[in-house]
Amino acid sequence: MDGGEFEAAAGDVPVIGIFLHGGGYCHMSAHEKAPTSQIPERLMKDKAFTEIHAVEYRLLQHAPFPAAVQDAAAVYAHIVRRHQRRNASNKAGSSGGNSSTHSADETNKKAHEMMDYLAADSTDYRAQVRNKKENDAIHAHVAEVSANTNCKIILIGDSAGGNLVLALARWIRDEGVLPPPDGLLLLSPSCDPSHAFPDTPSSYVPRPHADTDYLVDTPEPRALLQRTFLGHNPVETMHSPYVSPASSRVLRAFYGDAFAESVADLTISQLDDTTREFLRNMHSVPATPIPGTPVIGGNGNGNGNGNGNGKPRVITGPPEEVGYDLERSPTSLAHPVLASPRGLSLFTEFPKTCVVLGDAERLEREVTRLVGAMERDGVDVHTIWVKDAPHDVLMMAWWDEGVRDSVWVQVEDWVRQV
């Protein structure tokens, strides 16, 4: 027996936590003495988890994006592998013989040959059929792996760690190789770092609650920090769903202007059951990128490659049709474009999620936009609003103990229901 098979044999399914600490990707650590380590320490003390693995991912001063995602993914893959039923995988390998291996190779080959591009025209029947076939194959594979996984996995992240949890969950979904986590626990998650990059300096809108939160909102140092985080990646990567899933630009690309405007200034007090129901059923146009997305770079006119008539080149088709020399923006990691693979929406197939947020913190607007987008895509979202609380209140030992204890009870109740 290996990993969780001991617990499974005894009738218990271990609940494994993977904790990704906050700190703006530039400080804090997984060390037990770090301030953020109070979070996994409390969850283990209250026996909400069987075990929690705190990830010492690479900070931006050591390696830029996507290094932190890669480190978190390595830990996730290790946990999944450790809790797989070995006899089930052996049976699967022996029963099909070479034919099953050949079939799997063919499926993987076809998947790799797929274009990472979503046509805006919803009437493209061939694209719909192709996406459905690939999604069906991935769902079948993931269901088999999930059935052979002897544990529940919950990703936990506070502040920038919450941003990393969202990126990891997206990578798992997009790749379709590993089973999805059973839940996401997001504690004051950072979900729109692109806020530090306004279109023009005069268009910068300060984040709320300057008088009640300790987070700074000076755009210049924040932009420098984020630019270091991106490393060699273009600045437009900041608008990737992997980096800023709650940015207005991302929301407009996936759901259209009406939805983006509806959640732009949403507050905790406004996000009631009626608003959630409205967002869930809101008609979204477009759900995929619009033809004519400007190409970034080129002749210096600020919006793409020149075509001889003073106008920027625009993208009107897949990469094969427009050429690989064009850099599209914003981005998925390989070919920057605001899109998800296989026709998926922004948060389609994301696991159930618990969000903890103070109503006096700087991130209120972006987190409520995140919740609104998750609701729109049918994610089971449980929210815990903490009155008068600043950013990341659960890591503050000096904050009102009664309030924090109440939040911990609600968080642990949610964990037990996953």
Side-chain angles (χ1 to χ4, degrees):
M1 288 187 177
D2 183 40
E5 291 191 348
F6 290 104
E7 292 90 345
D12 297 326
V13 177
V15 181
I16 312 297
I18 297 178
F19 177 67
L20 303 170
H21 66 83
Y25 287 109
C26 65
H27 66 116
M28 301 291 186
S29 80
H31 192 277
E32 62 182 7
K33 296 299 184 182
T36 52
S37 293
Q38 296 178 67
I39 294 168
E41 180 182 358
R42 175 63 182 258
L43 291 169
M44 288 300 297
K45 177 183 176 183
D46 293 349
K47 299 184 180 353
F49 287 81
T50 309
E51 57 190 58
I52 296 178
H53 299 262
V55 182
E56 194 70 272
Y57 60 83
R58 285 169 288 177
L59 301 178
L60 60 82
Q61 57 265 43
H62 302 296
F65 177 80
V69 183
Q70 293 169 337
D71 294 345
V75 174
Y76 188 86
H78 170 73
I79 298 299
V80 170
R81 189 179 300 113
R82 186 163 71 93
H83 288 271
Q84 284 287 300
R85 294 189 184 93
R86 290 185 177 180
N87 57 346
S89 60
N90 291 338
K91 288 179 181 178
S94 60
S95 62
N98 293 333
S99 61
S100 64
T101 303
H102 177 72
S103 176
D105 290 342
E106 286 296 315
T107 300
N108 290 335
K109 181 179 178 182
K110 290 179 181 179
H112 285 297
E113 291 174 349
M114 292 287 294
M115 293 186 302
D116 185 15
Y117 180 81
L118 297 180
D121 185 3
S122 62
T123 63
D124 187 347
Y125 178 74
R126 287 185 301 173
Q128 290 183 12
V129 171
R130 184 176 66 239
N131 289 338
K132 184 179 186 305
K133 286 182 178 178
E134 189 175 3
N135 279 323
D136 288 346
I138 287 175
H139 291 160
H141 166 75
V142 169
E144 181 180 0
V145 178
S146 298
N148 292 325
T149 303
N150 297 315
C151 68
K152 293 182 177 180
I153 302 177
I154 297 177
L155 305 181
I156 312 162
D158 68 305
S159 194
N163 182 274
L164 184 50
V165 162
L166 289 166
L168 175 59
R170 185 170 304 282
W171 177 83
I172 294 168
R173 182 202 69 171
D174 289 356
E175 291 298 313
V177 175
L178 297 170
D182 295 274
L184 310 180
L185 177 53
L186 305 175
L187 312 173
S188 298
S190 169
C191 42
D192 185 17
S194 70
H195 184 264
F197 292 88
D199 293 332
T200 62
S202 61
S203 67
Y204 184 78
V205 178
R207 295 184 294 182
H209 306 305
D211 297 331
T212 56
D213 200 5
Y214 58 86
L215 289 183
V216 298
D217 198 54
T218 309
E220 291 81 4
R222 290 182 59 239
L224 177 60
L225 185 71
Q226 302 299 347
R227 192 65 190 87
T228 307
F229 166 73
L230 292 179
H232 63 279
N233 295 291
V235 174
E236 290 77 24
T237 309
M238 190 55 64
H239 293 280
S240 165
Y242 277 86
V243 179
S244 301
S247 80
S248 295
R249 193 180 299 185
V250 171
L251 298 181
R252 288 179 192 280
F254 278 91
Y255 309 119
D257 291 343
F259 180 90
E261 291 298 331
S262 297
V263 298
D265 296 311
L266 200 59
T267 64
I268 287 176
S269 61
Q270 296 169 333
L271 195 56
D272 54 19
D273 291 341
T274 302
T275 302
R276 288 173 188 250
E277 185 66 22
F278 170 75
L279 295 175
R280 286 189 204 107
N281 297 290
M282 191 173 186
H283 183 59
S284 297
V285 178
T288 53
I290 306 171
T293 301
V295 177
I296 301 301
N299 65 358
N301 60 13
N303 223 354
N305 294 10
N307 56 9
N309 59 6
K311 296 181 180 179
R313 288 279 304 273
V314 294
I315 291 174
T316 57
E320 288 76 7
E321 296 178 12
V322 298
Y324 287 106
D325 59 320
L326 302 184
E327 181 184 2
R328 301 171 308 181
S329 171
T331 154
S332 70
L333 288 183
H335 299 291
V337 126
L338 275 174
S340 290
R342 309 186 305 278
L344 300 174
S345 188
L346 186 60
F347 291 106
T348 303
E349 299 179 8
F350 264 56
K352 60 178 60 177
T353 301
C354 177
V355 177
V356 178
L357 179 70
D359 67 0
E361 64 171 286
R362 291 278 202 179
L363 304 188
E364 181 187 18
R365 284 192 196 130
E366 62 188 73
V367 176
T368 50
R369 289 200 301 269
L370 173 76
V371 172
M374 285 185 153
E375 292 279 5
R376 172 63 186 80
D377 284 337
V379 180
D380 181 354
V381 186
H382 177 69
T383 52
I384 301 174
W385 309 133
V386 189
K387 184 174 176 55
D388 298 331
H391 181 66
D392 209 356
V393 68
L394 289 182
M395 80 159 187
M396 297 180 176
W398 50 267
W399 190 259
D400 188 305
E401 186 175 354
V403 172
R404 288 191 299 114
D405 284 343
S406 173
V407 175
W408 281 121
V409 168
Q410 296 177 70
V411 167
E412 291 161 6
D413 284 345
W414 177 83
V415 170
R416 293 184 179 100
Q417 294 171 21
V418 169

